[in-house]
Amino acid sequence: MPDGCVIWLNGAFGAGKSTVARALAAELPDALVVDPEDIGRMLRRVVPPAVRTSDFQDIPSWRRLTVATIESLLRDHEVPLIVPMAVVDPAYFDETVGRLRRSGITVHHFALVAGPKTIRRRLLWRLSPPRATWWALRRVERCIRELRSPLFATHVDTDGRCVPDIVATIRRCASV
């Protein structure tokens, strides 16, 4: 298993990123799951109200802190990091995944994709607060559209597939 790599699981909200991340981590006992949403939640509490937005990814500090956190963890631990995070804005993708790659870090990027009907069904089945579900539902079409771009390859279809099969595909493609 390669030390110090990143397995970035991208995808629309409801594509299965967190579920796949947990299952992948269970198969890679040294791996750490790093969720950049935790950085976003922290920033929502500390940034001035004038710069708060409905999407913490719009805060430049989120992108810089996400990269710095990943770089720091890899420097200190040299284990695979699993990062379940939807990033569909090409500029933000470059500022995170692109910057990690330019710094010499191996990033295996996977876009978990599914049809809009599947995504909506999964979002409605979640036990999330209604406001969070509504926010995610409003972004389904954009996420699906943007993630079709070759920029976000490797695409892994999750429609009608079980989690172990998806994890096996990711492990095979990332050689982990």
Side-chain angles (χ1 to χ4, degrees), residues 16-48:
K17 298 178 300 293
S18 296
T19 301
V20 170
R22 284 189 299 272
L24 184 58
E27 291 191 20
L28 303 174
D30 293 337
L32 300 175
V33 177
V34 180
D35 190 343
E37 278 197 33
D38 295 330
I39 297 167
R41 282 190 282 276
M42 181 270 300
L43 285 172
R44 279 202 181 120
R45 289 190 308 272
V46 300
V47 298

Side-chain angles (χ1 to χ4, degrees), residues 6 8 63 67 70-71 87 89-107 109 151-152:
V6 173
W8 193 293
R63 300 184 300 277
V67 169
I70 291 168
E71 288 174 333
V87 179
D89 182 296
Y92 296 175
F93 184 78
D94 183 62
E95 289 181 59
T96 52
V97 173
R99 184 169 162 199
L100 291 167
R101 286 177 170 159
R102 286 189 296 278
S103 73
I105 294 170
T106 299
V107 180
H109 174 270
L151 173 67
F152 298 108

Side-chain angles (χ1 to χ4, degrees), residues 68-136:
T69 299
I70 291 168
E71 288 174 333
S72 179
L73 286 168
L74 286 173
R75 195 170 31 256
D76 292 346
H77 303 290
E78 295 185 20
V79 298
L81 299 182
I82 302 167
V83 181
M85 187 72 223
V87 179
V88 300
D89 182 296
Y92 296 175
F93 184 78
D94 183 62
E95 289 181 59
T96 52
V97 173
R99 184 169 162 199
L100 291 167
R101 286 177 170 159
R102 286 189 296 278
S103 73
I105 294 170
T106 299
V107 180
H108 303 284
H109 174 270
F110 299 94
L112 305 183
V113 295
K117 184 177 178 180
T118 299
I119 296 292
R120 285 188 188 93
R121 185 186 75 241
R122 290 176 183 168
L123 287 171
L124 292 170
W125 283 355
R126 280 185 178 177
L127 296 176
S128 297
R131 193 164 143 200
T133 300
W134 177 81
W135 187 90

Side-chain angles (χ1 to χ4, degrees), residues 51-64:
V51 296
R52 289 185 192 144
T53 68
S54 66
D55 187 345
F56 55 72
Q57 290 186 18
D58 295 331
I59 303 169
S61 292
W62 176 83
R63 300 184 300 277
R64 289 190 302 268

